[in-house]
Amino acid sequence: MLLPLAIAAALAACSKDESTPAASEPALTLDESRLPPVGRFQLADLDETKEACSDFAGYANGKWLAANPIPGDRTSWGAFEMLDERSNAVQQQLAEQAGADTAATGVKKIVGDLWATGMDEAKINAQGIEPLSAELAAIDALSDKDAIAEYLRTSAAKGGNFLFGFGAEADFQNPDLNIAYASQAGLGLPDSKYYFDPDKKDIREKYVAHIARILELSGVEAAAAAQQAQQVMAFETRLAKASKSREDLSRDVSLYYNPVSLADADALTPNFPWSKFFESQGVAAPQQFSLAMPDFHKEVDKALADTDPSVWKAYLRFHTVDGAAPFLSDEFVQENFNFYSATLRGQKEMKPRWKRVLGTINNQAGEALGQLYVQVAFPAESKAKMEALVANLGQALEARIQNLEWMSEETKAKALAKNAAFTTKIGYPDKWREWDGLETSRESYIGNVLAAQEFNYRWNLSKIGQPVDKTEWGMPPQMVNAYYNPLQNEIVFPAAILQPPFFDPEATDEMNYGGIGAVIGHEMTHGYDDQGSRFGATGKFENWWTEADAKGFASRTGKLVEQFNGYTTADGQKVNGRHTLGENIADLGGLATAYDAMKKATEGQPDPMTDGLTRDQRFFLNWATVWRRNFTPEELKTRIATDEHAPAQFRAIGAPSNLPAFAAAFKCEPGAPMARQGDAQVVIW
């Protein structure tokens, strides 16, 4: 539910409005009979053998989870995934129509070309690894550190930089202006901790085998591939030692901001001068840029000087082929699935080709597809009702801030100013990104992917040194998600999430407030979580807290860390309360705010007692419905290690257990697990 506070945010842009198809092109249509159902709360889902006050997640979702196993081509299954399947089914119809229109222009041509070439399995298999032959030859020719550094610059200029992240984002100290950011990357495993944690030893061994297999498929003799795989693993382990963990990055956003001059950056990495890198990317030399995680870049610089070129060549060859594997012939696709999906996440079967191709389109041209999506899948009345909900949540949050007992009037004034300054985006962009200049064809799938990759990179670089365009979106409309962007102090709700159980224009108030209302409150509260609270009303990275209030806030958030540290999965894995703190703060504040807004919206109205349940009970039950989710054991283990969100079952119970309204709704006795009191009860926003 959060756009991570990572500086390399998802690409989005704006230009002329192209939402209306050209008159000469066939109109897009949608056969709703082909769409899978949405998931709604049903009275029959309740497990009456469970007590709401002691096992609310089991009471609300246990029967549904038992009756809804994970499909073979997924690693989790719940409300989000059901809507994702529905969005995919819409997108499939649109992509099929775009692919069939060989005379299409604009975004429809881009979508159609990616779809048609991606679905042409015979041509992809016939091409094999040949599309990468020139790139692999360039890697094979590398002979010394200067040649390697030049290759890193050249490949980055084509959007192929896997060693470190580079792109535009708003300046922390001047959020109206984009500057360049360079960050860490270069690892094939999900997090730096995977290279050292004892319980990941088996994963490391399988990763080495995967590296060897990819190298062998690329043309390296088996024995040499095995030896090179060990070298690549050792090299990545070296990088991992110099990298910040995902937990570190999620809990200290300042790690992304390290403004330096080009001269200082060049002095830090003499073997990889940043002045030369900017020049090679076609970016004007800036007065300063953010060289985030400088210790990582120092280690890369050392590696250029002291690592044998043969190791660099093996590393570059592996990542070049590994990154392209999903778009190559079947043997590459299968190996990619075997490690990244089956081994790491426990996926039982590969997604069908059409889903994989849609994933590629979303990654490379998501907003282009989004322009087609909103023509058929987002009614105007949904946007109007959402705007009213957002306004009500904003008023409820304002009241909660005003009534905080632990915060001084001085800090409250700043918090209220931030609430008043929220920008809200609903459904889809008012202006669409322009795709002029992206040349796609019906000749090559990976050719189209690489063209889009370079085009997107170039577009992103064009923003460096330019004013921030505040109409841009960081997610396409067809994505089932939402986010808060602290640098713009904005909350964003793509069209695809505005469906049951989150949002239903025909539903009663308590269902919408317990669903999308809590999501709205969640995103608003991200502006006041442990990291969002470090940004002011204008998006500037600044301290707007008194010292006493900051200490009080830290004390209260510390109690929430302890609460989630106390949760353990059925297979004995402990939740990391520190890593998940931001999301847990947002859940707690968001649910409390949504409840207040629901009570205000229904003030003076008799309780309808739907299906024998009170309005308040249905509010909390729909919150739990949102968080029903099954995981494969491997997926759950990966999420515990890498995800800043707690597993869904703990999100279903974590926030409501702190709200007296929940205990009152279900008549929980003091001391019940879902009726926290005294020091065990967490109250923040």
Side-chain angles (χ1 to χ4, degrees), residues 42-95:
Q42 306 282 348
L43 184 66
D45 291 338
L46 298 182
D47 186 348
E48 301 290 353
T49 68
K50 305 281 188 1
E51 293 288 339
C53 297
S54 58
D55 182 10
F56 184 57
Y59 170 72
N61 294 330
K63 284 175 65 176
W64 188 92
L65 293 172
N68 288 271
I70 302 167
D73 68 346
R74 284 190 174 270
T75 59
S76 60
W77 187 248
F80 282 88
E81 290 82 358
M82 291 182 74
L83 284 187
D84 188 56
E85 286 292 322
R86 188 174 176 87
S87 179
N88 279 340
V90 174
Q91 294 171 50
Q92 181 185 16
Q93 294 186 44
L94 298 173

Side-chain angles (χ1 to χ4, degrees), residues 423-577:
T423 297
T424 305
K425 297 175 179 177
I426 298 169
Y428 56 90
D430 292 330
K431 294 190 299 181
W432 294 102
R433 176 179 172 184
E434 186 173 299
W435 296 85
D436 291 352
L438 173 55
E439 298 292 336
T440 58
S441 72
R442 297 295 173 99
E443 295 303 313
S444 169
Y445 184 37
I446 192 169
N448 286 334
V449 170
L450 293 175
Q453 180 177 286
E454 181 172 356
F455 179 83
N456 287 324
Y457 179 68
R458 289 290 173 188
W459 165 80
N460 183 267
L461 295 190
S462 73
K463 298 192 292 183
I464 295 173
Q466 299 300 312
V468 171
D469 186 337
K470 297 185 179 182
T471 66
E472 289 181 2
W473 279 52
M475 288 178 180
Q478 66 274 22
M479 181 175 286
V480 183
N481 213 324
Y483 69 88
Y484 169 71
N485 179 354
L487 288 162
Q488 303 307 320
N489 196 31
E490 64 182 7
I491 51 176
V492 186
F493 306 95
I497 199 173
L498 303 180
Q499 300 178 78
F502 297 94
F503 175 74
D504 184 351
E506 305 303 318
T508 53
D509 282 328
E510 68 272 14
M511 305 309 282
N512 278 328
Y513 279 98
I516 198 65
V519 174
I520 295 167
H522 173 104
E523 301 306 342
M524 288 178 169
T525 308
H526 268 312
Y528 305 94
D529 70 19
D530 64 314
Q531 299 305 308
S533 61
R534 302 172 75 179
F535 295 82
T538 65
K540 183 179 179 181
F541 188 64
E542 59 187 349
N543 180 19
W544 46 271
W545 296 71
T546 67
E547 185 176 352
D549 289 336
K551 288 181 179 178
F553 180 64
S555 174
R556 290 166 184 269
T557 59
K559 289 170 62 176
L560 197 58
V561 171
E562 292 178 10
Q563 176 183 336
F564 277 81
N565 279 342
Y567 291 139
T568 304
T569 64
D571 60 357
Q573 298 182 74
K574 290 182 66 64
V575 176
N576 185 331

